[in-house]
Amino acid sequence: MKQELVGIACSIAVLSMAAPAAAQDVRTGASAYGDWRSDAPGVMRHIRPGDMPPSDPRSSRANASRVGDRPPGAAPKTMPGFTVETLATGLEGVRVLRVAPNGDVFASLSRNGRVVVIRQQADGKASVSDFAKGLDDPYGLAFYPPGPEPKWLYVAQPGSVVRYAYRNGDLKASGKAETVIAKLPTGGHWTRDIAFSADGKVLYVAVGSDGNAGQGMGDRPADLAAHEKAHGVGAAWGEEEGRGAVLAYDPDGKNRRVYANGVRNCSGLALQPGTDTVYCATNERDMLGDDLPPDYISSVKEGGFYGWPWYYIGKNEDTRASGGRRPDLADKVIVPDVLVQAHSAPLGMAFNPGGQFPDEWKGDAFATLHGSWNRANRTGYKVVRLPFKDGKPTGQYQDFVTGFTAGDGSEVWGRPAGVTFAKDGSMLFSEDANGTVYRVTYRRPG
């Protein structure tokens, strides 16, 4: 079996001079907003619904960044006590990361239609093996059944979910893909993240919207009550039917049901250890202004409605959706747990299981912000920490790994995408601008 050595775990980023932010250092109100120039490891932000500015569609603009090579001497910046290392390179389009029970790291390379296995060697190098090829924009990955001895690796594509027979240590699929879910909506937002409940009885599938704010749905159903009885409260229709939602299936792909609606584009789907609560890292809509509406990372309740396309962050109405206004939904919108600066584009999220990072960080969530394409000054392009207290998010988020923007900010050399935790408690994250997977370790004081 051919293995290619593609990365060396050499230290490339040591410590930022920024100290961890204390509670009194949390930026709130207008100061919670900013761009790449004000990002720094340790900075804590708390955006509240009342902090949102008025809608200003005139300020919206396309402002995509240029992706360049990493400049000489450039390295990710992180907090004191942490080190960022390169684990593997040359992984074009790398997105979602998942760690197998034996410690192997599985990664979806969406652009190349591949799922690869990254295995760290004793000499510090990493071998990369093709587990499966010929896929259609593979994204979400999940082992089934959950636990120490999975039998399958599930892979989500824009229009389907397939699975491959798997045993711990396999570096290559032993057989062809078996289709589990044959028909998911395609077009528009294509990322399909997946996750299993801890008992393995439920497969969750996130399906993003086709468009921005439901403008193409067409006329509303003649019997709206019947439509919502079949598809859930706040369910979209027309070309958006079954989208902007989290779906649930049995592990064999049967018994489809809508778990939650109004979640515009859940690109990162994770279940909280211990509670099995579903969480989504969600990209909100565009063209309402540079700082509106916030993206979010939130628990998602069964039967819940999160606003899209008629409302955002509570009762704030967006009148652009087809089919007329929906005042009946205003009091049913659930406000997300953690608001993230608009257009940051959260993609992946994972919970810290403990074992290496500071003890008080056990149970916190981490998320990757892929970066903006449609605001005057770029935001995102970093990894953030979401503190939890008593099992609940505090609403705050903290810059954890930054430094991927070069020069005047018009060029970036890293766009964080996937995140997970290795068996030793270190954190792994991918960035798809230059196809790199990084490892973040922590050295305890003393």
Side-chain angles (χ1 to χ4, degrees), residues 104-128:
D104 285 340
V105 181
F106 280 66
S108 57
L109 275 56
S110 301
R111 296 177 193 170
N112 288 344
R114 300 158 57 200
V115 173
V116 302
V117 186
I118 305 169
R119 179 175 289 179
Q120 190 166 358
Q121 307 296 317
D123 61 2
K125 296 182 179 181
S127 66
V128 175

Side-chain angles (χ1 to χ4, degrees), residues 7-356:
I8 300 177
C10 58
S11 177
I12 63 156
V14 197
L15 308 180
S16 162
M17 297 304 293
Q24 63 268 24
D25 296 324
V26 176
R27 297 183 181 181
T28 60
S31 65
Y33 293 84
D35 54 49
W36 61 276
R37 293 168 296 189
S38 61
D39 289 345
V43 171
M44 190 83 80
R45 309 172 193 274
H46 192 175
I47 298 174
R48 301 177 176 90
D51 298 331
M52 292 190 301
S55 174
D56 183 16
R58 293 174 299 177
S59 71
S60 299
R61 70 201 73 189
N63 189 23
S65 56
R66 298 192 307 273
V67 174
D69 295 333
R70 191 173 78 199
K77 301 174 183 177
T78 188
M79 296 169 63
F82 294 89
T83 301
V84 183
E85 304 170 310
T86 300
L87 179 62
T89 60
L91 303 176
E92 183 181 5
V94 61
R95 288 287 183 113
V96 172
L97 303 176
R98 295 287 187 266
V99 176
N102 74 325
D104 285 340
V105 181
F106 280 66
S108 57
L109 275 56
S110 301
R111 296 177 193 170
N112 288 344
R114 300 158 57 200
V115 173
V116 302
V117 186
I118 305 169
R119 179 175 289 179
Q120 190 166 358
Q121 307 296 317
D123 61 2
K125 296 182 179 181
S127 66
V128 175
S129 304
D130 282 327
F131 182 82
K133 296 181 180 180
L135 291 154
D136 176 22
D137 290 328
Y139 191 79
L141 305 171
F143 293 97
Y144 176 81
E149 296 292 338
K151 297 180 179 179
W152 300 94
L153 174 68
Y154 282 60
V155 182
Q157 305 174 103
S160 66
V161 176
V162 300
R163 67 183 183 183
Y164 294 90
Y166 173 76
R167 295 293 185 273
N168 277 325
D170 285 355
L171 295 174
K172 184 177 179 61
S174 59
K176 294 182 179 180
E178 176 183 312
T179 299
V180 179
I181 301 171
K183 294 183 179 180
L184 292 172
T186 57
H189 293 110
W190 60 272
T191 54
R192 302 281 179 267
D193 208 1
I194 54 175
F196 279 101
S197 59
D199 61 10
K201 293 181 178 180
V202 183
L203 170 62
Y204 297 98
V205 181
V207 181
S209 67
D210 181 61
N212 181 35
Q215 295 96 328
M217 290 192 302
D219 296 334
R220 72 173 63 190
D223 191 339
L224 189 57
H227 176 76
E228 292 201 336
K229 184 177 181 180
H231 302 286
V233 173
W237 54 75
E239 64 186 29
E240 297 285 8
E241 186 173 309
R243 307 192 67 141
V246 176
L247 308 180
Y249 297 82
D250 292 348
D252 60 5
K254 298 178 181 178
N255 192 24
R256 177 192 181 277
R257 59 266 193 203
V258 176
Y259 184 80
N261 280 311
V263 185
R264 178 177 176 265
N265 186 23
C266 173
S267 290
L269 182 64
L271 271 65
Q272 183 182 27
T275 70
D276 233 20
T277 301
V278 177
Y279 273 78
C280 274
T282 301
N283 288 218
E284 256 293 355
R285 67 208 79 183
D286 303 315
M287 306 306 168
L288 289 176
D290 270 8
D291 290 311
L292 202 72
D295 292 330
Y296 61 83
I297 299 162
S298 181
S299 58
V300 177
K301 298 178 181 178
E302 185 172 9
F305 173 61
Y306 290 80
W308 181 88
W310 294 280
Y311 294 89
Y312 57 88
I313 317 300
K315 296 183 180 181
N316 300 283
E317 189 173 16
D318 187 341
T319 60
R320 296 176 294 176
S322 301
R325 302 170 74 175
R326 293 292 305 275
D328 57 303
L329 293 175
D331 291 327
K332 299 177 181 178
V333 182
I334 298 173
V335 177
D337 297 322
V338 183
L339 305 187
V340 177
Q341 185 162 346
H343 315 306
S344 295
L347 286 191
M349 70 169 296
F351 288 92
N352 171 28
Q356 185 172 136

